[in-house]
Amino acid sequence: MNVVRHVLGRVGFYVVSSLFAAIFALPLLWLVVAPFSTKANLSVSLPEQWSLSNFARVFANSFAVRALFQNSVIQAVGTMVLVTLLATLAAYALSRAPIRGRDTISYGLVLFSSIVTGTAAMVPIFLLIFRMGLIDTHLGVILVFTGGLLPAAVFIMRDFVDSIPRSYEESALVSGASHWGMFRDIALPIVRPGMMVVGVWTFVNVWGGFLVPFILLRSPGKMPASVAIYSFYTEGGTPIITLTTAYALLYTLPVLALYLFVNWKYGFRFFGGIKS
């Protein structure tokens, strides 16, 4: 009886798991197949004749191409570099400096940072960026994204910094290294995987961000791909399936390539790699 229950339990588990896997896999399969069909619709079916005509029409749209390969890259890479650098320095300071209530500070920053780039905060953010003279600039978008993502990035980086044994740093100081040399030669190589995790996480958030650039930018030539995808909609607001899927597939490739590269080079983990 116990064996039968065990077998039925395993079978039920695999059936339910397969059902959930199919629910998540079908949209991905549709995204991969639909761009190559000249008669794509919302159903998942292999095209009768594979074609690259949809991609040709996408690349003929200079506005969408510039948004994807220039504007989105500038905003995502700029924010990624700034957040990763500041988060590493701030996490090291919080981990090593004798600050009272630093854990409370970290949790508080993560809690309140959720509203920085949210809808409720866009009016004061817009006024702040307007008074700084950064409306319709890539720098304004980068600064707003940085402010929203930095607290969570610091929280992630702290675990990597905390994993560095203090004996490593003490040995370097005894050997005559400066504080900057100790940070550069000891801390940075160890927390590099964490920096890569934060970098990819930041890149993905900015790459898919819509609200901030939509509100802060005015010039069509500065819009990112998340906004430019609406150029493949009809005047009535209906998406042209063949073109939106082709553009969406191109839109996902940079993120996928970055993830695979970093995962191959460093591996993803949201915890430190060395424990004292």
Side-chain angles (χ1 to χ4, degrees):
M1 183 64 67
N2 292 333
V3 175
V4 174
R5 289 180 179 177
H6 176 74
V7 172
L8 292 177
R10 299 301 296 178
V11 171
F13 171 77
Y14 287 124
V15 170
V16 173
S17 300
S18 301
L19 179 62
F20 277 101
I23 292 174
F24 285 99
L26 285 177
L28 296 178
L29 179 61
W30 175 80
L31 178 62
V32 173
V33 172
F36 299 95
S37 174
T38 57
K39 299 179 180 179
N41 50 43
L42 296 179
S43 64
V44 180
S45 59
L46 294 178
E48 298 179 358
Q49 183 176 1
W50 296 79
S51 174
L52 297 176
S53 59
N54 296 331
F55 294 98
R57 293 176 63 186
V58 166
F59 281 105
N61 187 332
S62 59
F63 166 66
V65 171
R66 180 176 181 178
L68 178 60
F69 294 106
Q70 178 176 321
N71 299 333
S72 288
V73 172
I74 292 174
Q75 295 170 19
V77 173
T79 307
M80 178 180 68
V81 172
L82 191 58
V83 168
T84 303
L85 177 61
L86 295 178
T88 303
L89 296 175
Y92 189 81
L94 284 174
S95 177
R96 294 298 186 258
I99 303 175
R100 290 185 178 181
R102 57 187 179 183
D103 292 334
T104 304
I105 294 174
S106 299
Y107 286 111
L109 288 175
V110 172
L111 176 63
F112 290 106
S113 67
S114 60
I115 67 170
V116 172
T117 56
T119 306
M122 284 313 301
V123 172
I125 287 176
F126 179 86
L127 293 176
L128 177 62
I129 297 300
F130 176 78
R131 292 173 182 175
M132 294 174 63
L134 296 177
I135 291 293
D136 199 28
T137 63
H138 291 305
L139 180 59
V141 175
I142 290 173
L143 290 179
V144 172
F145 273 125
T146 299
L149 299 175
L150 185 58
V154 173
F155 183 80
I156 295 173
M157 282 300 305
R158 265 204 60 187
D159 191 65
F160 286 89
V161 177
D162 288 341
S163 71
I164 305 175
R166 293 180 182 268
S167 58
Y168 286 15
E169 300 168 336
E170 294 169 355
S171 299
L173 292 175
V174 170
S175 300
S178 63
H179 287 282
W180 168 247
M182 175 191 65
F183 175 76
R184 179 192 60 203
D185 299 329
I186 302 297
L188 280 183
I190 296 177
V191 301
R192 191 176 299 165
M195 296 174 67
M196 295 299 104
V197 169
V198 169
V200 174
W201 173 76
T202 302
F203 186 92
V204 171
N205 276 275
V206 179
W207 191 260
F210 169 80
L211 183 63
V212 172
F214 181 74
I215 292 179
L216 298 183
L217 297 177
R218 292 292 178 267
S219 302
K222 296 180 180 179
M223 294 294 181
S226 58
V227 180
I229 194 172
Y230 285 95
S231 64
F232 298 111
Y233 280 57
T234 65
E235 294 182 358
T238 303
I240 305 173
I241 300 297
T242 53
L243 301 184
T244 52
T245 53
Y247 193 68
L249 182 60
L250 295 174
Y251 189 36
T252 61
L253 293 181
V255 175
L256 181 61
L258 181 63
Y259 170 81
L260 292 176
F261 171 76
V262 174
N263 188 52
W264 165 73
K265 189 72 175 178
Y266 299 99
F268 274 102
R269 56 181 185 271
F270 283 84
F271 52 86
I274 295 182
K275 300 294 181 184
S276 57

